[in-house]
């Protein structure tokens, strides 16, 4: 089982989504950015580190959403999503094919990684737009 965090980063009423590269598992699927929790690392610290490494953004980690457990054919994960805001930095994707800001209304227009779909649905069901 992999333990992974992800960030729903909200900035100017847009949400950051990332497309996995062709070299990654689940190639070209869309996801909320994040990464694996390292030994001894808190979920919030993991998210701050991963977003800095992958996107060159400094974030504030705010409220958590529901954890998602998902079983793909070749691996399983527990995904811990958090609503976040940008503090500083300039978006510079390091690993993803692309990273874009979209409106809440556009979220369902993308080919999401299966584990991220319940997070998209939870986000859309609430009024979580803070900036």
């Amino acid at each position: 089982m992999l333990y992974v965090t992800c960030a729903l980063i909200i900035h100017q009423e847009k949400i950051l989504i990332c497309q996995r590269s062709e070299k990654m598992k689940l190639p070209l699927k869309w996801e909320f950015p994040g990464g694996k929790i390292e030994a001894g690392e808190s979920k919030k610290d993991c998210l701050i580190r991963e977003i800095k490494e992958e996107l060159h953004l400094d974030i504030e980690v705010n409220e958590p959403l529901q954890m998602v457990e998902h079983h793909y054919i070749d691996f399983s994960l527990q995904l811990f999503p958090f609503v976040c805001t940008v503090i500083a930095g300039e978006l510079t994707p390091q690993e993803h094919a692309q990273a874009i800001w979209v409106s809440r209304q556009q979220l369902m227009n993308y080919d999401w990684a299966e584990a991220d779909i319940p997070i998209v649905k939870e986000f859309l069901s609430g009024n979580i737009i803070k900036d």
Side-chain angles (χ1 to χ4, degrees):
M1 179 79 64
L2 297 173
Y3 300 95
V4 181
T5 58
C6 71
L8 285 78
I9 303 171
I10 301 169
H11 184 63
Q12 298 179 352
E13 297 191 15
K14 300 274 182 149
I15 301 101
L16 183 66
I17 65 172
C18 296
Q19 187 178 38
R20 297 178 67 82
S21 77
E22 292 178 7
K23 298 173 187 165
M24 299 168 104
K25 283 186 179 186
L26 310 173
L28 302 179
K29 293 282 187 177
W30 289 87
E31 67 179 1
F32 295 110
K36 295 180 197 119
I37 302 169
E38 294 181 355
E41 187 175 48
S42 74
K43 294 175 185 85
K44 287 185 178 186
D45 288 344
C46 169
L47 209 44
I48 290 167
R49 175 185 54 77
E50 287 282 354
I51 299 305
K52 183 69 170 179
E53 289 173 5
E54 291 181 4
L55 300 169
H56 290 207
L57 293 175
D58 294 316
I59 59 168
E60 179 178 352
V61 179
N62 301 312
E63 64 266 22
L65 298 179
Q66 279 295 118
M67 182 273 291
V68 173
E69 186 168 313
H70 189 79
H71 305 282
Y72 290 100
I73 293 170
D74 55 345
F75 68 100
S76 295
L77 59 80
Q78 284 187 347
L79 184 56
F80 299 92
F82 290 85
V83 175
C84 303
T85 50
V86 175
I87 299 171
E90 187 172 323
L91 179 60
T92 310
Q94 299 298 304
E95 298 178 8
H96 291 89
Q98 53 182 324
I100 58 174
W101 296 99
V102 300
S103 70
R104 131 188 248 121
Q105 294 78 17
Q106 295 171 303
L107 284 175
M108 290 307 292
N109 298 342
Y110 294 87
D111 184 17
W112 289 93
E114 288 178 33
D116 285 75
I117 293 171
I119 299 166
V120 173
K121 289 180 177 176
E122 181 183 1
F123 180 74
L124 291 175
S125 72
N127 292 319
I128 311 169
I129 286 283
K130 295 179 181 174
D131 199 2

